[in-house]
Amino acid sequence: MAPIFATVNWTDGTLDAPGMRSLVKKLGQLKQVFSDQSAHAQMDPETVVYRVWWWEPVEAGTEGGLFWGTTEILPGKVGKEFFMTHGHQHAIRDRAEFYGTVSGEGMLVLRDENGKTWYEPMRPGSLHYIPGRVAHRTVNTGEMPFRFIASWPSDAGHDYDVIATEGLGARVIEKDGKAVFVKDGEQ
Ligand code: 6PG
Ligand code: NI
């Protein structure tokens, strides 16, 4: 087999990989994700919220393979709610994933299939195991770009539907200058 390799800058998480993919998510694409609709309507829909660069060393859908990617969430808020990813479950529900924080500070918001919601603080060096069947979203709670690396199974896929309609059962908002994790229905 030919050598398959890429280069990661471990200081800033940037990736240089053969056939590297990337995507950009802007505010206009994330309307239903943030709770404060009137704050959202007043912001420029072209504002970049996050970017993902990733490497698919095997074809998407391959059983037993792995992917690798870097996500960068820019600092910002919609109303009181911090910029965050859309959030998803894996389409093949039992597929797990690793996240490792490179720079900035954030929160990993998780929800299991019983509706239990919790979070893990993300700081440079923190490594997070996201078990299968657990929906996940990341939030930039700081004032700098927040970057983490991820590795997930090449057949995991993404299911955005449940998060788009139900959310994750909690939101991360700024309160008295601090990032606070607030469960739905709590103050
Ligand atoms: C994945 C990872 C990760 C994630 C990005 C963007 O399964 O691919 O969890 O790469 O996709 O951080 O988040 P959203 O997919 O929720 O937009
Ligand atoms: Ni994932």
Side-chain angles (χ1 to χ4, degrees), residues 5 19 46 64 67 69 72 78 83 102 107 139 148-151 168:
F5 74 92
E46 287 299 307
F67 289 167
E72 175 187 62
V78 177
F83 277 12
V102 177
M107 281 189 194
V139 184
F148 62 93
I149 52 180
S151 185
L168 274 170

Side-chain angles (χ1 to χ4, degrees), residues 25 27 34 43 47-51 71-85 103-106 138-147 174:
K25 286 275 178 179
L27 264 183
F34 292 98
M43 295 175 76
T47 305
V48 173
V49 178
Y50 62 98
R51 296 187 172 88
T71 299
E72 175 187 62
I73 309 176
L74 280 306
K77 279 179 292 180
V78 177
K80 291 180 176 174
E81 193 171 24
F82 290 98
F83 277 12
M84 59 188 177
T85 57
S103 61
E105 52 186 297
T138 44
V139 184
N140 183 350
T141 57
E143 284 164 12
M144 311 253 300
F146 167 59
R147 283 191 184 163
E174 188 179 60

Side-chain angles (χ1 to χ4, degrees), residues 23 25 30 50-54 67-73 84-90 96-99 130 136-138 148 150-153 156-158 160 163:
L23 67 78
K25 286 275 178 179
L30 296 165
Y50 62 98
R51 296 187 172 88
V52 188
W53 297 264
W54 75 100
F67 289 167
W68 181 279
T70 299
T71 299
E72 175 187 62
I73 309 176
M84 59 188 177
T85 57
H86 185 287
H88 62 271
Q89 294 178 293
H90 291 150
E97 180 164 12
F98 271 121
Y99 280 0
I130 303 166
H136 41 288
R137 161 185 283 164
T138 44
F148 62 93
S151 185
W152 66 98
H158 299 92
Y160 292 101
I163 309 303

